[in-house]
Amino acid sequence: MKRLKTHTAIICSLFTASIVLYSCTTKEKANVSENKHFNQTDNWIVLDKTDATKEGHTFSWTFEVKTPSDYVLQLVSTEAYFKNNESVKIKIGAQEFEASLLKNHLINGNEIVSEFKNIFSIKNTEKQTLSITTEADFKSLRIIPHYKKPIGSGKYHQEWLAMHQSKEKQDALQRFKEAKLGMFIHWGLYSQAGGLWKGTKINNAPHPGPKVAEWLMYAFQIPREDYRALAKTFNPDKSFAENVVKLAKDVGMKYIVITSKHHDGFALFNSKHSEFDMVDATPYKADIIKELYNACLEEGIDFGVYYSHGNDWMDGSDGNYKNIKKVNDSLGIYTHPNGKNLWDPSENTHESYLENKAYPQIKELLTMLPELRLIWFDGTGFTTEAQAFQFYKLVYERNPNVLVNRRVGYAFGDYLDAGDNKIPSASETLEKYWETCGTTNNSWGYKSYDDDWKSPKELLYYFVDILSKGGNYLLNIGPDGKGHVPETSAENLRDMGKWIHQNADAVYGTTRWKTPNEGQEETLLDGTGHRAAKGFKRDFTSKDFWFTAKEHKVYAISLTQTEGDILIKSLKKGEGDIEQVKVLGSDKILSWNQNKNGLQTTITGVPKDALGYVIEVTLKNN
């Protein structure tokens, strides 16, 4: 009995680290009692075959979920009837896909749990329909939350909400909303390698995982001591901070976020809780985070730090992988190893890493940088609900003016990010303000051989698309080991910046208008790998417009050098009484006509090298 109780206690303590879900974007719910056990299976939907409506080989059910989120589908069968790689057709609401069954886990002695790779989103708590067409003899289907979208018990929600809704946080969020454009900097020891290890490109690395330069240690499974040796030669130019801030200023970026510690565990600041940092381990012998912070303050640019809290390949052990896997195996859940150091983990526990390095380093940053504006957490991994909340609360208690992004975990962030190089559709409804982080080529850290640079027009298109949908763009640079930004990257950003400075009124402090855009269908950016594989192909026409709004003005943005008559359909009669029409950057007032077809006016004098123009429409009333 004692052994059983011990086993149960271990499982209970680990459940919150897996797919147990709670969303802070749903309506406020009462706190869960401190004594109530929270089982991760509480949010599962189990559909028994015996309860299905059957038509031929198609089985159908109706069901409801407690929390809208991303889910995956699992099929439970027995050894005797399981058919490997059988093609199965699945329909969930309007979402349809076809996939093969893959044997994953054996549980309860003779049950096989097979998980489909497809992810599907359920956006409300209304009744859903699911059907599956298969000849396989199965017992049940399980709908479980996707491992990247953990939702907790809700016991911390009220306390989090009070902090999130505080005046300090909301004022900080308003400042963030008005900024619109920021600079992301991925820079560290990996920057010296330039995406290569012992002559092999990271794209040809022998191990699975992201093939972006900052994942060098992971992709080649470099032993910790071998990787630590990189610090001995990391000695960038002293002009790094000054040069980077000048570039941000030239582009029109209002805030900067730099990787103070990435997944490799190396800190760019002077830390008392690790010697694997800029001051103790490198010949540079100075705190480059403090230098960049001071340079930003001098130029009036807001400063933020990225901090990998869940992953630390140097001191974070295996990221709690083995413990989590033990529990997940018993439930038939695949434990994703991505981002975990399983080749040379440190001897400490993940819990001791948090207590002795991660939490203390966050405190150090908050103390050292009193005017810090945001902390961009990353690498959630197997961080528990309690640990994620502790990070958020720790930040708030030391400086309530600092924003926290959603990757702190369990929806405790003050704002959302759409994902790496991802832009949401105009039709999506997001419950919090959001940001997209993006690259200027196809890597975040410096990759010496990646010359697939996004043109100024492509970068501007992504920015304008994000503006029209009401978000921020955090656009990345990846300096080399000396701190130099690749020339083409800097040039393209500055060209984009010329348009931004000329059309600043249509950018800063604007909001989404009732119509985001008109013309061609949106070209969605769907991840770093998506752009790398498919490139960018889009023709811009005089009929394409994106809109932003501010007070009693609407801005119609075109990415062409149109000459002659134009028609803006979304500003037709009945969509607002127009007082004045002009082109931003010019004092000339345009003649115009508003009718049932739209707003008609004539454009002349747009420079041939311009990336586009903006029509400012002043309305008589808001």
Side-chain angles (χ1 to χ4, degrees):
M1 180 62 72
K2 183 177 180 180
R3 182 179 179 184
L4 178 60
K5 288 181 178 179
T6 302
H7 180 67
T8 303
I10 291 173
I11 291 178
C12 291
S13 67
L14 295 171
F15 270 162
T16 55
S18 297
I19 307 176
V20 187
L21 306 170
Y22 177 84
S23 175
C24 293
T25 61
T26 58
K27 293 183 178 179
E28 184 175 320
K29 298 179 181 179
N31 280 351
V32 176
S33 168
E34 291 289 337
N35 297 320
K36 183 179 178 181
H37 171 62
F38 182 47
N39 188 314
Q40 64 175 321
T41 62
D42 289 348
N43 282 301
W44 293 10
I45 306 296
V46 179
L47 305 173
D48 289 327
K49 184 179 181 181
T50 55
D51 296 329
T53 301
K54 183 181 179 184
E55 186 174 337
H57 295 296
T58 300
F59 303 85
S60 303
W61 300 261
T62 59
F63 65 96
E64 297 176 4
V65 298
K66 296 178 183 178
T67 305
S69 190
D70 289 345
Y71 290 83
V72 294
L73 185 67
Q74 296 180 331
L75 183 145
V76 181
S77 60
T78 62
E79 187 76 44
Y81 296 101
F82 182 81
K83 296 180 180 179
N84 195 29
N85 291 326
E86 179 187 353
S87 181
V88 175
K89 294 182 179 179
I90 300 165
K91 183 175 182 180
I92 302 174
Q95 303 172 73
E96 295 185 59
F97 58 90
E98 187 169 338
S100 298
L101 298 174
L102 298 175
K103 180 178 177 180
N104 280 338
H105 295 284
L106 181 67
I107 61 172
N108 298 331
N110 65 345
E111 289 185 337
I112 297 171
V113 177
S114 306
E115 184 170 306
F116 298 100
K117 291 184 178 180
N118 302 67
I119 303 169
F120 58 93
S121 296
I122 297 180
K123 300 185 181 298
N124 55 60
T125 57
E126 298 172 359
K127 285 188 175 181
Q128 311 286 331
T129 59
L130 181 150
S131 66
I132 181 170
T133 302
T134 177
E135 295 183 17
D137 192 348
F138 64 94
K139 292 181 62 177
S140 61
L141 297 182
R142 304 195 312 191
I143 300 171
I144 66 174
H146 188 254
Y147 76 98
K148 285 188 177 181
K149 292 287 185 76
I151 306 171
S153 64
K155 65 188 272 186
Y156 304 103
H157 180 59
Q158 296 287 3
E159 191 177 353
W160 169 83
L161 194 63
M163 291 184 281
H164 172 67
Q165 293 181 341
S166 68
K167 184 180 186 304
E168 293 89 346
K169 282 282 189 181
Q170 291 305 305
D171 287 348
L173 190 58
Q174 183 58 38
R175 182 184 180 100
F176 180 71
K177 290 177 180 179
E178 293 174 357
K180 295 302 176 187
L181 182 63
M183 172 185 280
F184 215 176
I185 308 173
H186 276 68
W187 191 57
L189 299 185
Y190 45 82
S191 303
Q192 299 180 95
L196 299 111
W197 183 251
K198 296 181 178 180
T200 300
K201 294 180 179 180
I202 193 172
N203 294 68
N204 300 322
H207 306 289
K211 296 301 185 284
V212 286
E214 65 279 7
W215 280 65
L216 183 83
M217 184 180 180
Y218 185 91
F220 289 98
Q221 295 192 1
I222 303 170
R224 288 182 300 126
E225 288 308 308
D226 289 355
Y227 190 83
R228 191 187 296 272
L230 287 174
K232 296 177 181 179
T233 57
F234 191 43
N235 193 20
D237 288 348
K238 294 291 184 181
S239 61
F240 169 77
E242 178 185 349
N243 294 340
V244 163
V245 171
K246 185 181 186 306
L247 176 60
K249 196 85 171 178
D250 289 346
V251 181
M253 293 163 162
K254 297 297 186 181
Y255 61 107
I256 285 177
V257 180
I258 185 171
T259 50
S260 68
K261 181 186 78 100
H262 208 277
H263 304 330
D264 61 357
F266 177 75
L268 289 174
F269 58 95
N270 187 18
S271 175
K272 294 179 182 178
H273 298 276
S274 172
E275 293 185 354
F276 192 45
D277 66 34
M278 200 72 188
V279 174
D280 297 312
T282 79
Y284 191 80
K285 298 298 179 187
D287 191 322
I288 211 149
I289 293 297
K290 189 68 181 293
E291 291 175 352
L292 186 58
Y293 168 79
N294 289 334
C296 284
L297 291 185
E298 289 180 11
E299 293 295 337
I301 293 177
D302 287 348
F303 188 72
V305 291
Y306 166 112
Y307 188 91
S308 174
H309 62 317
N311 290 335
D312 188 308
W313 301 326
M314 187 61 62
D315 300 308
S317 186
D318 69 347
N320 212 24
Y321 175 82
K322 289 181 181 177
N323 290 330
I324 297 300
K325 187 176 186 302
K326 188 179 298 183
V327 176
N328 285 350
D329 284 354
S330 70
L331 297 170
I333 301 173
Y334 177 65
T335 307
H336 296 262
N338 195 35
K340 306 305 163 200
N341 184 346
L342 304 183
W343 68 93
D344 182 28
S346 55
E347 294 180 357
N348 59 311
T349 64
H350 189 252
E351 180 71 26
S352 67
Y353 148 72
L354 292 173
E355 294 295 335
N356 298 322
K357 185 177 182 182
Y359 295 140
Q361 285 191 334
I362 292 298
K363 294 175 185 177
E364 285 180 323
L365 287 166
L366 290 164
T367 300
M368 180 176 73
L369 313 171
E371 294 186 53
L372 189 68
R373 292 294 179 180
L374 67 90
I375 296 184
W376 216 96
F377 287 104
D378 194 24
T380 308
F382 300 129
T383 302
T384 66
E385 180 186 16
Q387 290 163 349
F389 180 68
Q390 185 168 342
F391 276 110
Y392 183 91
K393 188 176 182 180
L394 185 157
V395 174
Y396 181 84
E397 288 178 341
R398 279 157 181 77
N399 190 343
N401 302 293
V402 176
L403 293 177
V404 172
N405 70 324
R406 67 102 182 156
R407 296 192 195 187
V408 69
Y410 290 85
F412 288 133
D414 295 309
Y415 65 96
L416 302 175
D417 73 84
D420 295 352
N421 281 302
K422 289 188 177 182
I423 301 176
S425 169
S427 62
E428 288 187 53
T429 301
L430 302 175
E431 299 297 328
K432 293 179 185 175
Y433 193 75
W434 60 278
E435 170 189 71
T436 283
C437 56
T439 54
T440 49
N441 57 355
N442 298 314
S443 187
W444 300 88
Y446 175 65
K447 187 184 283 187
S448 58
Y449 55 90
D450 183 358
D451 295 320
D452 186 14
W453 300 105
K454 296 169 184 172
S455 69
K457 177 64 71 73
E458 182 181 355
L459 293 172
L460 182 59
Y461 165 69
Y462 296 142
F463 182 40
V464 166
D465 193 34
I466 289 166
L467 280 176
S468 72
K469 296 170 182 175
N472 278 26
Y473 197 18
L474 184 60
L475 191 49
N476 183 75
I477 60 170
D480 64 18
K482 284 296 182 183
H484 302 148
V485 180
E487 186 176 345
T488 305
S489 174
E491 288 178 355
N492 289 352
L493 286 170
R494 286 194 172 99
D495 285 346
M496 173 188 173
K498 293 175 185 176
W499 182 96
I500 292 171
H501 284 294
Q502 179 168 332
N503 299 288
D505 288 346
V507 175
Y508 307 115
T510 60
T511 61
R512 174 173 172 157
W513 192 47
K514 56 186 174 181
T515 302
N517 58 73
E518 70 178 48
Q520 301 176 70
E521 292 186 3
E522 55 190 343
T523 302
L524 293 179
L525 186 62
D526 192 25
T528 307
H530 172 86
R531 161 55 172 71
K534 298 187 178 293
F536 178 76
K537 296 177 182 178
R538 185 184 175 106
D539 294 322
F540 299 98
T541 76
S542 60
K543 296 180 181 180
D544 301 330
F545 291 97
W546 293 262
F547 301 96
T548 62
K550 182 164 54 181
E551 297 175 344
H552 59 294
K553 294 180 179 179
V554 175
Y555 300 94
I557 301 170
S558 172
L559 297 181
T560 68
Q561 300 86 29
T562 299
E563 291 280 344
D565 296 338
I566 62 168
L567 175 67
I568 306 174
K569 295 179 180 180
S570 297
L571 282 163
K572 64 185 178 182
K573 202 169 187 63
E575 296 298 328
D577 296 328
I578 296 175
E579 184 176 289
Q580 179 181 284
V581 178
K582 62 174 288 190
V583 177
L584 280 186
S586 170
D587 295 329
K588 183 180 179 181
I589 306 302
L590 300 178
S591 59
W592 53 272
N593 176 42
Q594 187 184 33
N595 54 45
K596 65 179 182 178
N597 295 319
L599 168 64
Q600 294 177 319
T601 189
T602 303
I603 299 296
T604 59
V606 178
K608 294 300 181 183
D609 61 346
L611 294 176
Y613 65 88
V614 178
I615 299 292
E616 178 188 82
V617 179
T618 303
L619 302 178
K620 293 181 180 178
N621 50 59
N622 193 1

